[in-house]
Amino acid sequence: MDLRDLRYFEVIAELEHVGQAAERLHRTQPALTSSVRRLEEVCGAPLFERSGRGIKLTAAGQVMLKWARRTRLDVEEARREIGDIGSGLSGTVRIGIIPTAAQFLLPPAVRQLIAEAPKVQLHTVVGLSDVLQPKLRSGELDMTIETESAGEPGITSQFLAEDPIVVAASATHEVFLSSPVLKDLCAYRWVLQPPGAPTRDWLDQTFERRRLPRPQVQIESSMLLMLPALIAETGLLSFISRHHLQAGQLGSGLKEVNVKGTTMRRRMVVTYRESSYLSPASNRLIALLAAAATRNA
């Protein structure tokens, strides 16, 4: 079984179209068709079937796709591990990271890593878990730094830090003139992430459990790093990581609104595939991220 045939098969399966796969791979359609036929001869079963103007995987094809991906990852990681023998802290680390961790944990960890290993290269993808997890599973990323979620087969997690999410406002906001309770927050307008974001859904449900209307959202923003500036400039309430309120940060002019039951306890973790190879540089970065998390706690 040729590794190139497996790689071509993966792309055809992803696009569900031989012509489009040929364009991406810079191969001819007959070459890709021959590649699929060779795999079908080895498997003894058809891997694709017609579907409208394209094709789709058969049951046998779905099984083959699972093993093709696993085989490719194993070969790629074997090459990386062999290449790292005797090279120490070097090579490329591919990391996916959520915005809060990218702002507060990554910079000091990377500063130390580069000081120790000037030849290390870092490829980063900043996004939320719905973007990062598929890239981790496909092998595009070595690891991710994100908030803890339900366990998934083949994926392991290592705790880094607590990341409490709290109600916050400008330090001069009128909400601080009294000692508010949850019901009092219904009188104010908010800047929040869109529905579907874990923090937004958690806050909405907190109000609903107390039979209160959801927060009045005047501004929705999916750009987390914009929230501290928006809170300061607009006088709106928001729901953000407590890290933003630390001295020296953009949100240091903001203040936590201490209302019982409005602190969302999140755990930040590093995740990676259980069977994957983590280079010495990757392991060192994990240790430095854990140290940075401890300092920020």
Side-chain angles (χ1 to χ4, degrees), residues 198 200-210 214-215:
R200 171 69 181 274
D201 291 347
W202 188 94
L203 188 66
D204 285 345
Q205 292 164 14
T206 296
F207 278 77
E208 289 178 343
R209 283 195 297 270
R210 297 288 296 276
R214 293 183 174 188

